[in-house]
Amino acid sequence: ITQTLTLTLASLSQLSFNPASVSGGTNSTATLTLDGQATGPFIVNLTSSDPSFTFLDPTTLAPITSITFSQGDTAQQFIVKTPFKLANTQAQITATRPAQGNYPNQSITGTLFVSSQNLATFTIDPIEVPGGGTSTGTVIINAAAPDGGVVVNLSSSNAAAAQVPTVNADGT
């Protein structure tokens, strides 16, 4: 009696993001899932349709351009670091396994949505002051500021009467 055993190598099955939509300047955790267990090690290269997006190792937070699946793995995670954006956008993140060993070349793509950070409110208190007096302005953006803050440029229609500084917002 002869029997034939056919082994099917694990394929890249799904690329998902948590959260799937983020504010610019924040991170999303990506999970690359296989349709079975890896039977040996292989490397998967990571790219983005927007080169300002970067990838980080979830343990060390070091920049990476690829992830490695080891024997028995069914999924790997990495962090997608998004840049501050002036408009809502999306990026196509692609995971590509080049042909290696018995594994054929394969790619899978996922979409990460990034919302812009916009001015939500601007208030001045008090709104009227005598000459030489001061007033406090408050700027609120629609999401947490990214690392390094957000530059908010303020101006006055009468610079002789009201001088305004440039503010670096490092919070919300």
Side-chain angles (χ1 to χ4, degrees), residues 14-27:
Q14 181 180 20
L15 179 58
S16 59
F17 304 96
N18 185 20
S21 180
V22 295
S23 250
T26 59
N27 297 341

Side-chain angles (χ1 to χ4, degrees), residues 24-166:
T26 59
N27 297 341
S28 180
T29 299
T31 302
L32 179 58
T33 306
L34 304 177
D35 64 0
Q37 289 186 342
T39 57
F42 60 85
I43 294 171
V44 176
N45 298 316
L46 306 171
T47 57
S48 171
S49 60
D50 181 335
S52 63
F53 286 58
T54 56
F55 308 110
L56 305 175
D57 179 283
T59 304
T60 66
L61 299 181
I64 59 172
T65 57
S66 65
I67 55 176
T68 301
F69 281 83
S70 298
Q71 184 172 351
D73 287 348
T74 57
Q76 286 288 331
Q77 291 188 321
F78 58 96
I79 295 172
V80 181
K81 184 173 183 175
T82 65
F84 172 77
K85 291 293 185 178
L86 296 177
N88 293 344
T89 189
Q90 62 187 28
Q92 301 297 316
I93 307 300
T94 302
T96 302
R97 179 185 61 203
Q100 47 198 300
N102 291 324
Y103 289 101
N105 183 51
Q106 184 190 8
S107 291
I108 191 167
T109 300
T111 302
L112 180 60
F113 297 91
V114 179
S115 59
S116 64
Q117 291 181 326
N118 295 309
L119 181 65
T121 61
F122 175 66
T123 58
I124 297 177
D125 187 41
I127 59 173
E128 291 184 26
V129 293
T134 61
S135 187
T136 300
T138 301
V139 174
I140 298 175
I141 57 177
N142 68 340
D147 292 343
V150 173
V151 175
V152 177
N153 294 309
L154 304 172
S155 63
S156 170
S157 60
N158 185 346
Q163 287 114 26
V164 289
T166 297

